[in-house]
Amino acid sequence: MQVGRNDPCPCGSGLKYKRCCMARDKAIQMERMAWERAAQDMRVALIGFAKGRDLLKDLSAGLGLFWQDRYTADTIHLMSVDESLRFSDWFAHDYRMQYLPAPEEEGQDGLGCRLVEIYRCQVADALSEKEASVLDSWIESLPGSAFVLEESDVEQGTIVIRDLFMPDRRLLVRDKAAATHGQVGQILLTRPLPERESVHLAGATVVLPGSEEGGLREFIESAYQGYVAERSKGDEAGGEGQSLWPQFLRDRAYLLTHYALQWAEREGRPAVSAQDPNAPKPGRELVSRLVRWGQARVQAR
């Protein structure tokens, strides 16, 4: 509920709001907006950074892996805005570089690293304190997963979600769209990202009906068992298989998208926007504007 300037202060002091807590509340709001702006800047800058480097081979490999060859480097402009956000989020946070050009200095190529890690290292001296803090928290955060929407508070703009595969991971997330339109019991394929004292959902969330929980569990848990067996052969399991869930979800996050693609096809829906003649397309110009914005930001540093 919004409090008017001349209303009694909610703290119960008996003073008008403008004479009591209004200045403090405004300062808190401005600080929160500054953190949100830093996070948004970093999301867009990562896109520009990726496009500004010689990553065509990695981009092509990532597109094929994520979309199961439904998109390529030649058709990337056909992705919808949501698809672009989903792919960019995965490519920045989960994909490990395989084809970076030879480094100028030994050990500086970034092979095997994630884009967010390379970006953090490359522009470390030019980042603001908030931007550096945002990136560090993203790098250290747990990977995306499939979550059950357990609670929704429209007034507060928050939801409570529970990880299907790491049950102890239960999060309070600030997301007005999800709180307004989400339904308890739905499955969200998404990445929760910390932003100072709160958690937000990154990219574009894929929503599956709760009835898909069993099928999704079977699909992912089967892949997980294969992953554990593969790692065990190299004596890399490190003890109990359960401890591998965070690493598995990082290394195989694209499998969540594969399940969503299969689900859409089973439902008789186009799996991707390029297959839907009625779907709006962002076109090359929108993608180009995002890339130019990100590149200009990196070059200015």
Side-chain angles (χ1 to χ4, degrees):
M1 180 184 298
Q2 187 171 359
V3 182
R5 291 170 52 87
N6 293 311
D7 292 341
C9 188
C11 75
S13 65
L15 299 174
K16 291 183 178 181
Y17 182 52
K18 66 181 180 182
R19 302 292 185 188
C20 192
C21 293
M22 188 175 76
R24 183 205 63 184
D25 290 348
K26 282 190 173 183
I28 292 174
Q29 182 182 16
M30 290 181 65
E31 181 71 1
R32 183 173 65 247
M33 290 175 63
W35 280 97
E36 291 174 354
R37 186 165 54 250
Q40 179 62 21
D41 285 353
M42 291 299 92
R43 291 189 186 99
V44 180
L46 280 169
I47 297 175
F49 184 70
K51 296 289 186 178
R53 292 176 60 88
D54 185 12
L55 297 180
L56 182 58
K57 288 185 178 180
D58 278 300
L59 183 63
S60 296
L63 284 166
L65 184 61
F66 189 80
W67 294 114
Q68 294 184 303
D69 297 320
R70 290 174 173 84
Y71 286 115
T72 67
D74 293 330
T75 60
I76 189 173
H77 63 282
L78 296 178
M79 289 194 296
S80 69
V81 173
D82 279 357
E83 288 171 338
S84 297
L85 290 172
R86 285 161 54 193
F87 174 75
S88 297
D89 170 69
W90 171 80
F91 190 69
H93 292 275
D94 295 327
Y95 178 83
R96 295 190 180 277
M97 299 298 161
Q98 304 176 48
Y99 302 105
L100 282 177
E104 295 181 4
E105 299 179 18
E106 188 67 25
Q108 297 299 312
D109 61 345
L111 287 173
C113 292
R114 295 178 286 147
L115 185 69
V116 65
E117 296 169 334
I118 298 171
Y119 179 76
R120 175 69 174 89
C121 180
Q122 291 286 323
V123 300
D125 295 336
L127 294 172
S128 71
E129 182 178 347
K130 286 184 174 62
E131 290 169 343
S133 179
V134 165
L135 287 176
D136 287 341
S137 67
W138 289 357
I139 290 170
E140 296 170 5
S141 65
L142 288 171
S145 186
F147 297 86
V148 177
L149 199 164
E150 292 192 329
E151 300 175 22
S152 178
D153 188 326
V154 177
E155 184 174 342
Q156 296 296 323
T158 60
I159 59 174
V160 175
I161 57 176
R162 173 179 51 81
D163 195 319
L164 270 180
F165 307 108
M166 293 189 288
D168 292 338
R169 188 184 182 192
R170 193 168 181 268
L171 303 170
L172 175 66
V173 177
R174 183 176 299 278
D175 191 296
K176 290 183 179 179
T180 302
H181 304 292
Q183 299 176 11
V184 172
Q186 286 179 328
I187 299 171
L188 310 182
L189 308 184
T190 189
R191 182 190 311 280
L193 284 178
E195 292 176 15
R196 204 188 181 194
E197 297 177 354
S198 60
V199 177
H200 296 258
L201 300 183
T205 297
V206 177
V207 180
L208 298 177
S211 58
E212 287 299 312
E213 179 175 342
L216 178 59
R217 277 187 180 277
E218 182 179 355
F219 180 80
I220 295 298
E221 288 176 355
S222 176
Y224 174 72
Q225 294 304 321
Y227 181 83
V228 171
E230 178 185 324
R231 295 285 294 267
S232 297
K233 289 179 182 178
D235 295 324
E236 298 178 2
E240 294 295 327
Q242 184 67 21
S243 65
L244 287 179
W245 270 109
Q247 189 61 46
F248 167 77
L249 290 171
R250 176 80 70 199
D251 291 344
R252 301 289 189 268
Y254 54 84
L255 292 176
L256 295 170
T257 294
H258 292 184
Y259 185 87
L261 295 172
Q262 294 174 19
W263 169 77
E265 290 175 342
R266 290 199 308 271
E267 293 291 307
R269 305 178 183 182
V272 295
S273 179
Q275 298 174 347
D276 183 359
N278 299 316
K281 306 295 191 299
R284 294 179 185 271
E285 182 55 31
L286 174 58
V287 175
S288 297
R289 285 201 304 271
L290 284 172
V291 171
R292 287 197 300 269
W293 193 96
Q295 287 175 337
R297 180 178 177 80
V298 173
Q299 292 165 1
R301 297 176 188 278

